[in-house]
Amino acid sequence: MRLSRYFLPVLKENPAEAQIVSHRLMLRAGMIKQQAAGIYSWLPLGFKVLKRIEQIVHEEQIRAGHIPLLMPTLQPADLWRESGRYDDYGQEMLRIKDRHDRDMLYGPTNEEMITDIFRAHVSSYKELPLTLYHIQWKFRDEVRPRFGVMRGREFYMKDGYSFDLTREDALHAYNRHMVSYLRTYERMGLTAIPMRAASGPIGGDNTHEFLVLAQTGESEVFYDAKVPDLKLGDREVDYDDRDAVAAICDEFTTLYARTDETHDEAVFNEIPEERRCVGRGIEVGQIFYFGTKYSEAMGATVSTPDGTRVPVEMGSHGIGVSRLLGALIEANHDDKGIIWPEGVTPFHCGIVNLKQGDAATDSACNALYKALTEKGLEPLYDDREERAGAKFATMDLIGLPWRITVGPRGLGNGVVELTSRRSGESEEMSLEAAVARVAEIYANH
């Protein structure tokens, strides 16, 4: 993509309405535009990152054996009346009547609808275990939406639903989701800590939230200093091996890590004082095991090996895809702008032409663009008739991890400059070497 042809409406000044870093930088970098309170249009750059995040979520869900589908945004109210949640959910639910005066709602979550799908098509234990998920827009009518995409009314979410015959099977599904989430966040360059949490309107006794540490987080968190150092890394995970999956979950949940809702001061004080940490966190996902809460209420039963019928054991598991984008910025920025991790960057590399219109620099930039594209990478070529400072400021603001700068002086010596956005360090090398280096960096992403 050439920047002269791209839609990137960057702002020079900080928007007055933006209270936190991610909201401010998303507006300044031309990623979103507010259409109403808590409702945003996703402009090309923001949409591109959103789709990168979504793709990682899909890949890790499928790796764990989960099956994608797509449910509608509007749901009939009768399903929620069956579960008993229609009146209980409160004013956050956007209730609608269609032209035939039928009660509808804009879904804040999909436990009822997925249970309806399950009961219509699954009747035997032989069809279990089963986990279905989708990534879809949701709506919760927040009293005071704020912080941009971090607490909007409309949001993009992955919600998955597991169906199992026994409690033991369902707890394995719970553990499987925990491990798949840990891998998902790590691929995005995030440290998301699973913390014992409260279940809220979803219900159930077993639940963990995944929180990214950030000063602007809404939740107060208490944790052992050793927790953020835990990593899955490159280890292979067999999701069918119950003991191995459970061992990973134990590794990541044995040390103390809780939100303010479940914090136990006495247990916390048993940790050595130098390891007791108090901070703030941004919730980016949550997993629940709630047993037969919905299956009993809605008649979702399966036959067992002995011919009896039992309500299926269920769990639900969510990742805030649009919220993750804000969390990524909160965790990766400086005073110049965003610093995207390689796994989610909208473009893999920026190309800056210091003398647009000069035959040699134009030719070198075009050659770089072609070579990077042939390696399967997406560069963003700043070919605008702008001064060098403005081009560098734009690249710093939008946060591409790597920049290749091409100028007459460097070309005279046969080199271009490769710069890391995160460290700020630059290195001169040949055009071919710069392409090879960038390709090598992304080989693991």
Side-chain angles (χ1 to χ4, degrees):
M1 179 57 65
R2 293 172 182 267
L3 197 47
S4 62
R5 301 176 188 173
Y6 198 56
F7 183 59
L8 187 68
V10 298
L11 305 175
K12 293 183 179 179
E13 303 298 327
N14 286 326
E17 70 271 26
Q19 298 173 287
I20 62 171
V21 169
S22 58
H23 191 195
R24 181 167 68 247
L25 290 177
M26 288 183 76
L27 290 170
R28 283 200 58 211
M31 300 179 73
I32 55 172
K33 181 187 183 301
Q34 181 170 306
Q35 303 298 158
I39 300 174
Y40 294 88
S41 287
W42 290 77
L43 305 184
L45 194 74
F47 183 63
K48 204 165 177 59
V49 180
L50 190 69
K51 300 309 283 187
R52 297 265 195 224
I53 293 170
E54 179 182 3
Q55 184 59 33
I56 292 173
V57 172
H58 272 304
E59 289 172 2
E60 293 304 327
Q61 287 301 295
I62 291 168
R63 189 202 297 247
H66 307 157
I67 304 167
L69 48 64
L70 184 62
M71 290 176 276
T73 55
L74 295 182
Q75 303 183 30
D78 285 346
L79 288 176
W80 285 65
R81 290 190 175 108
E82 281 191 64
S83 72
R85 284 207 300 173
Y86 185 68
D87 295 321
D88 293 345
Y89 208 87
Q91 292 185 322
E92 285 189 353
M93 181 187 288
L94 182 62
R95 294 166 169 83
I96 305 163
K97 283 188 181 291
D98 68 12
R99 67 191 301 165
H100 301 293
D101 205 36
R102 288 179 295 226
D103 290 326
M104 308 288 287
L105 58 101
Y106 192 138
T109 184
N110 282 72
E111 281 80 10
E112 285 80 3
M113 184 166 282
I114 199 70
T115 305
D116 180 56
I117 291 170
F118 178 90
R119 71 184 178 184
H121 299 288
V122 179
S123 60
S124 170
Y125 75 95
K126 295 178 181 179
E127 298 169 86
L128 302 179
L130 180 65
T131 293
L132 302 170
Y133 80 93
H134 73 158
I135 299 177
Q136 177 64 290
W137 291 101
K138 304 283 191 291
F139 191 91
R140 291 177 189 158
D141 204 359
E142 296 278 357
V143 175
R144 191 162 65 93
R146 59 192 188 278
F147 304 154
V149 302
M150 298 288 287
R151 190 166 181 138
R153 291 193 292 166
E154 186 183 55
F155 54 96
Y156 204 43
M157 188 172 113
K158 173 261 159 181
D159 46 318
Y161 304 91
S162 56
F163 301 89
D164 291 277
L165 181 62
T166 67
R167 172 183 168 84
E168 292 72 24
D169 295 343
L171 290 174
H172 173 59
Y174 184 93
N175 291 343
R176 195 172 64 238
H177 278 84
M178 180 177 289
V179 175
S180 70
Y181 279 26
L182 290 169
R183 190 186 290 281
T184 298
Y185 299 128
E186 282 189 24
R187 281 188 60 187
M188 296 176 192
L190 283 174
T191 298
I193 302 171
M195 298 193 177
R196 178 68 64 179
S199 60
I202 302 292
D205 298 324
N206 289 64
T207 180
H208 281 83
E209 286 180 356
F210 292 80
L211 290 105
V212 174
L213 299 176
Q215 292 180 342
T216 50
E218 290 185 289
S219 301
E220 188 174 25
V221 295
F222 303 81
Y223 60 97
D224 190 315
K226 289 186 174 183
V227 171
D229 295 329
L230 297 172
K231 295 288 184 292
L232 266 180
D234 296 329
R235 72 180 89 174
E236 289 294 322
V237 178
D238 179 355
Y239 284 103
D240 292 324
D241 186 333
R242 296 192 177 200
D243 291 339
V245 172
I248 294 172
C249 293
D250 288 344
E251 176 186 344
F252 279 81
T253 59
T254 298
L255 293 172
Y256 193 93
R258 298 194 187 187
T259 63
D260 50 0
E261 294 175 308
T262 58
H263 176 55
D264 186 322
E265 193 70 23
V267 178
F268 186 59
N269 287 336
E270 293 175 6
I271 303 169
E273 186 174 359
E274 67 275 9
R275 284 173 28 206
R276 289 179 218 151
C277 294
V278 181
R280 304 202 70 80
I282 299 167
E283 183 199 339
V284 292
Q286 189 163 3
I287 57 177
F288 303 85
Y289 161 64
F290 44 66
T292 59
K293 174 180 177 178
Y294 296 92
S295 56
E296 281 189 348
M298 299 182 68
T301 63
V302 293
S303 62
T304 65
D306 62 11
T308 60
R309 297 195 69 83
V310 296
V312 71
E313 298 277 341
M314 291 178 59
S316 73
H317 318 278
I319 290 180
V321 176
S322 53
R323 173 179 270 246
L324 263 171
L325 202 150
L328 279 157
I329 295 173
E330 292 291 335
N332 297 277
H333 69 273
D334 61 16
D335 58 357
K336 296 178 182 178
I338 302 164
I339 307 172
W340 291 117
E342 281 84 356
V344 295
T345 180
F347 295 95
H348 298 108
C349 180
I351 301 171
V352 172
N353 188 336
L354 293 182
K355 195 172 183 182
Q356 194 68 39
D358 176 78
T361 56
D362 288 357
S363 176
C365 288
N366 287 329
L368 270 172
Y369 187 91
K370 181 180 179 182
L372 288 165
T373 302
E374 288 176 348
K375 295 280 190 183
L377 301 172
E378 287 187 88
L380 178 63
Y381 173 20
D382 191 344
D383 61 340
R384 299 172 300 162
E385 296 285 351
E386 281 277 4
R387 58 187 177 81
K391 291 189 174 189
F392 290 145
T394 297
M395 285 293 174
D396 285 343
L397 174 61
I398 66 175
L400 306 187
W402 297 93
R403 184 186 77 224
I404 301 175
T405 305
V406 182
R409 183 180 301 173
L411 286 179
N413 296 320
V415 297
V416 296
E417 186 178 70
L418 179 64
T419 303
S420 164
R421 174 69 179 87
R422 189 169 296 277
S423 70
E425 295 176 356
S426 297
E427 185 178 352
E428 290 186 338
M429 60 186 70
S430 69
L431 185 151
E432 294 79 12
V435 171
R437 177 73 62 82
V438 174
E440 180 185 11
I441 289 166
Y442 285 102
N444 295 323
H445 294 281

